[in-house]
Amino acid sequence: MATTSKNDTLTTHGRLYLVPAPLDFGCDSQMDLQNTMPLGTLTVAARLQYWVCENAKSARAYLKRVNEIVPLSSPLQALHIQELPREVHKKGDHTGNFDARHLLTPALDGHDVGLVSEAGMPAVADPGSSVVRAAHDLGIEVMPLTGPVSILLALAASGLNGQSFAFVGYLPQDASERAQRLRELESLALKTGQTQVFIETPYRNAAMMQTLLQTLQHNTRLAVSSGLTLASGACRSDTVKNWRHKASTLNNSTPAVFALGR
């Protein structure tokens, strides 16, 4: 725990733990947590009483799985779980528009708090950065735990430049705007060598692949990773020309990460 002194009054704060979640949220099958999550992370998660999350239902489902490996220190029903507001889910909280300090009241009272998203590392391609900023502003120690991060797993498996890369989030939903954005990212990747990484909502995977193959230059290298850490997971990296020549399908229910470069 972090200790601070103000006006000669000793105050002991809890910590904010960033707790990764498995990457199988919304998938047809689930992996054994012991194959994807370090025991140390599960041990910390099992002892936490206070949580901030995207969705309380999915957070409880995750903690139920944790309990099967490391028993929770309190019954699931007794945990204090707070959800981020709906507008944070819709618009994100990476721009600094949401003040999350009130969600950390338990930490100010001396309790450790866990921050969890529905999949992967919270605050990376998911809501939660507002909570982390608030913790720093309040003098609360932030402790990231080890677990799967789909963006880095996909980048490592792509064969593209891992020394210089950019994660650009989601691309526009409108087909013409999406194509224009892809041309911009491709131009940047080919000019600078910087790998461009992005994601899409799974049910738009097929539309994204169609736009990629219709828009990108034939020598541009495209890598697609889907179902990472699942038994059905796969990663393919090839030139756009070869992608076009080899029939390929992308499951519209499985999360995917896309990367392009030279």
Side-chain angles (χ1 to χ4, degrees):
M1 295 184 179
T3 303
T4 60
S5 179
K6 184 177 182 180
N7 297 330
D8 298 325
T9 299
L10 192 65
T11 303
T12 302
H13 293 166
R15 289 172 170 171
L16 175 65
Y17 284 92
L18 311 186
V19 183
L23 301 179
D24 54 19
F25 174 76
C27 297
D28 295 333
S29 61
Q30 291 184 329
M31 289 292 291
D32 185 339
L33 283 188
Q34 296 179 93
N35 292 334
T36 58
M37 302 290 297
L39 181 59
T41 293
L42 298 179
T43 301
V44 172
R47 71 169 176 78
L48 296 176
Q49 305 288 308
Y50 294 85
W51 290 87
V52 178
C53 66
E54 288 186 75
N55 180 279
K57 182 178 179 180
S58 59
R60 290 190 182 96
Y62 173 33
L63 292 172
K64 184 178 180 180
R65 294 170 68 184
V66 172
N67 185 59
E68 296 172 355
I69 302 170
V70 182
L72 302 181
S73 59
S74 295
L76 192 60
Q77 298 80 1
L79 300 180
H80 302 268
I81 300 178
Q82 301 181 85
E83 291 184 342
L84 288 163
R86 182 175 176 80
E87 60 266 22
V88 170
H89 299 177
K90 292 290 186 179
K91 300 179 181 179
D93 60 348
H94 52 279
T95 60
N97 294 329
F98 175 64
D99 185 352
R101 286 177 293 180
H102 65 285
L103 296 174
L104 293 172
T105 299
L108 294 177
D109 293 336
H111 303 285
D112 291 337
V113 176
L115 174 64
V116 64
S117 66
E118 292 182 323
M121 178 66 77
V124 178
D126 266 324
S129 58
S130 61
V131 182
V132 177
R133 283 195 302 272
H136 287 297
D137 291 344
L138 293 170
I140 296 168
E141 188 175 2
V142 177
M143 300 291 293
L145 300 179
T146 304
V149 181
S150 61
I151 297 166
L152 293 181
L153 291 173
L155 177 64
S158 71
L160 296 172
N161 189 350
Q163 300 295 322
S164 177
F165 60 92
F167 173 65
V168 297
Y170 292 90
L171 273 56
Q173 295 183 29
D174 177 79
S176 60
E177 293 179 2
R178 183 168 60 239
Q180 177 58 35
R181 179 60 172 147
L182 281 172
R183 293 188 190 96
E184 294 171 356
L185 295 175
E186 180 183 44
S187 176
L188 181 62
L190 297 180
K191 179 180 179 180
T192 67
Q194 183 185 67
T195 301
Q196 303 298 307
V197 185
F198 49 94
I199 55 177
E200 183 51 277
T201 302
Y203 66 82
R204 289 198 287 265
N205 280 343
M208 173 60 77
M209 281 299 299
Q210 182 179 10
T211 306
L212 284 164
L213 299 184
Q214 290 176 347
T215 304
L216 299 179
Q217 299 178 37
H218 68 276
N219 283 331
T220 296
R221 194 165 191 90
L222 170 65
V224 181
S225 295
S226 63
L228 292 169
T229 72
L230 297 178
S232 59
C235 178
R236 178 183 168 191
S237 180
D238 210 336
T239 63
V240 170
K241 179 180 179 180
N242 287 339
W243 273 99
R244 291 170 180 153
H245 288 167
K246 299 176 183 177
S248 60
T249 58
L250 191 57
N251 191 321
N252 253 16
S253 63
T254 303
V257 181
F258 304 86
L260 56 89
R262 65 186 188 192

